[in-house]
Amino acid sequence: MPELRCEAVRWVNHEHFPGLVEVQFVDAAGRRWSLIDKSAIFTQLDELTPDSVYPVNVTVACVIQTAARSWPTTRS
């Protein structure tokens, strides 16, 4: 399954179990997006806690529904 590289940027709250974390990524057009979900969604380990030093590199499993065009894998 493809994974989207993101950065966990902050701990949102711990009222839920596990706590909520905000992650961000930048799309191909340069727009920044945020996702907020349970910390376990973004890591298999207990790496994301209120005491973690942010930002933390994480990934999000995703499903590609359509591809508008092919993007080069390297830049020259």
Side-chain angles (χ1 to χ4, degrees):
M1 178 173 284
E3 293 184 329
L4 179 64
R5 287 182 283 176
C6 302
E7 280 190 327
V9 295
R10 70 184 179 103
W11 185 263
V12 176
N13 74 42
H14 58 275
E15 292 175 11
H16 303 280
F17 181 79
L20 300 178
V21 174
E22 178 182 2
V23 303
Q24 295 181 345
F25 67 93
V26 177
D27 69 14
R31 295 175 294 209
R32 182 169 299 277
W33 296 88
S34 291
L35 305 171
I36 296 177
D37 210 331
K38 296 175 183 169
S39 59
I41 297 295
F42 305 115
T43 181
Q44 304 246 342
L45 307 172
D46 291 332
E47 324 176 28
L48 301 176
T49 68
D51 299 323
S52 295
V53 177
Y54 293 92
V56 176
N57 291 327
V58 297
T59 60
V60 177
C62 58
V63 175
I64 299 172
Q65 294 182 341
T66 60
R69 67 177 241 198
S70 296
W71 294 95
T73 56
T74 59
R75 294 182 183 187
S76 42

